Amino acid sequence: MARSRAMTVDVDFGEDGLVPAVAQDADSGAVLMLAYVSPEALERTIETGRAHYYSRSRDELWEKGASSGHTQDIREIRVDCDADTLLYLVEQNVGACHTGHRSCFYRTVEGENVGERVFDPADVYDD
Amino acid sequence: MARSRAMTVDVDFGEDGLVPAVAQDADSGAVLMLAYVSPEALERTIETGRAHYYSRSRDELWEKGASSGHTQDIREIRVDCDADTLLYLVEQNVGACHTGHRSCFYRTVEGENVGERVFDPADVYDD
């Protein structure tokens, strides 16, 4: 596909300094998770080629998979029309979800489990 | 796939009463947009089978495509592990983005246009 070159998009981090980022499996297209990204997290993601986020509960920058090893290698970063949401296209190592599922969206809202379990959290997290 | 029946998931709408919802094309897997959902928007989405959201800027419930005709027919609604993010699997009519693109994520963060333009906004929106 012919791609037009243009200016780097100015991401609108808004009042709280964070934007939501959707992580999508670059191969299967599965939506894996949603987390929040600060300017520094985006910078680190671009620099390292591995997905970084900002934890609102722990109030800190984190690299996905830093403790579990289930890192996300970035293939492409997209931004939406309003430049206030990111899409990380990633190569997900093992699974994205701390429950052991490949994707955090493993349930329907009716409570049916439609997800694939790819690891046992007891083997991965000490807690 | 065998699906286990369980209780309807209690969505955590948090302090501001909204959760982010990712809309994904149920056929192609493309991530189309992200918007916010109130309890009432989720209820209307389930009742009607068409995607509803809550506009933070206009402070009102809205049905996607109500003015453009570019509605989203719901095929499935998923919820993430923390029950604070939704995934709408939709059949998107025409295009999701007000810019005329199929998906709102039509640009990389470097500013390259990688999206498909499917309509001319001038033909769809007044003013």
Side-chain angles (χ1 to χ4, degrees):
Chain A
M1 188 191 312
R3 293 185 172 193
S4 58
R5 281 266 163 211
M7 292 287 290
T8 297
V9 179
D10 219 359
V11 177
D12 176 8
F13 286 95
E15 279 175 33
D16 62 358
L18 299 173
V19 290
V22 179
Q24 182 179 28
D25 188 309
D27 292 316
S28 73
V31 173
L32 298 169
M33 57 181 279
L34 179 138
Y36 293 85
V37 168
S38 63
E40 194 189 351
L42 177 58
E43 208 173 283
R44 292 286 290 277
T45 299
I46 293 171
E47 276 170 19
T48 63
R50 291 189 310 275
H52 287 69
Y53 301 96
Y54 192 88
S55 167
R56 297 182 301 174
S57 54
R58 296 193 310 273
D59 204 16
E60 63 178 21
L61 181 77
W62 59 289
E63 181 189 339
K64 173 69 187 164
S67 60
S68 64
H70 301 166
T71 50
Q72 296 175 334
D73 296 317
I74 295 285
R75 203 180 288 172
E76 190 165 277
I77 303 173
R78 293 197 193 155
V79 59
D80 77 344
C81 49
D82 298 327
D84 60 4
T85 304
L86 300 174
L87 176 64
Y88 285 177
L89 292 165
V90 305
E91 289 164 37
Q92 173 69 56
N93 290 299
V94 189
C97 189
H98 72 285
T99 62
H101 292 87
R102 177 78 181 163
S103 161
C104 294
F105 297 93
Y106 61 88
R107 295 174 296 176
T108 68
V109 77
E110 293 88 10
E112 294 176 29
N113 192 325
V114 295
E116 185 195 358
R117 200 135 184 279
V118 290
F119 70 93
D120 183 346
D123 297 339
V124 172
Y125 303 103
D126 299 332
D127 72 55
Chain B
M1 187 191 314
R3 292 183 173 195
S4 59
R5 281 268 163 209
M7 293 286 290
T8 296
V9 178
D10 219 357
V11 177
D12 176 8
F13 286 95
E15 278 176 33
D16 63 358
L18 299 173
V19 289
V22 179
Q24 182 179 28
D25 188 309
D27 292 316
S28 72
V31 173
L32 298 169
M33 56 182 278
L34 179 140
Y36 293 85
V37 168
S38 62
E40 193 189 351
L42 177 57
E43 208 173 284
R44 292 287 292 277
T45 299
I46 293 170
E47 275 170 17
T48 63
R50 290 189 310 277
H52 288 69
Y53 301 95
Y54 192 88
S55 168
R56 297 182 301 175
S57 54
R58 297 193 308 273
D59 204 16
E60 63 178 21
L61 181 76
W62 60 289
E63 180 188 341
K64 174 68 188 165
S67 61
S68 65
H70 301 166
T71 51
Q72 295 176 334
D73 296 317
I74 295 287
R75 203 180 287 172
E76 190 165 276
I77 302 173
R78 293 197 193 153
V79 60
D80 77 345
C81 48
D82 297 326
D84 61 4
T85 304
L86 299 174
L87 176 63
Y88 284 178
L89 291 165
V90 305
E91 290 165 36
Q92 173 69 56
N93 290 299
V94 189
C97 189
H98 73 286
T99 61
H101 292 86
R102 176 78 180 164
S103 162
C104 293
F105 298 94
Y106 60 88
R107 295 173 296 176
T108 69
V109 76
E110 293 88 10
E112 293 177 30
N113 191 324
V114 295
E116 186 195 359
R117 200 136 185 277
V118 290
F119 70 93
D120 182 345
D123 297 340
V124 172
Y125 303 104
D126 301 332
D127 68 65

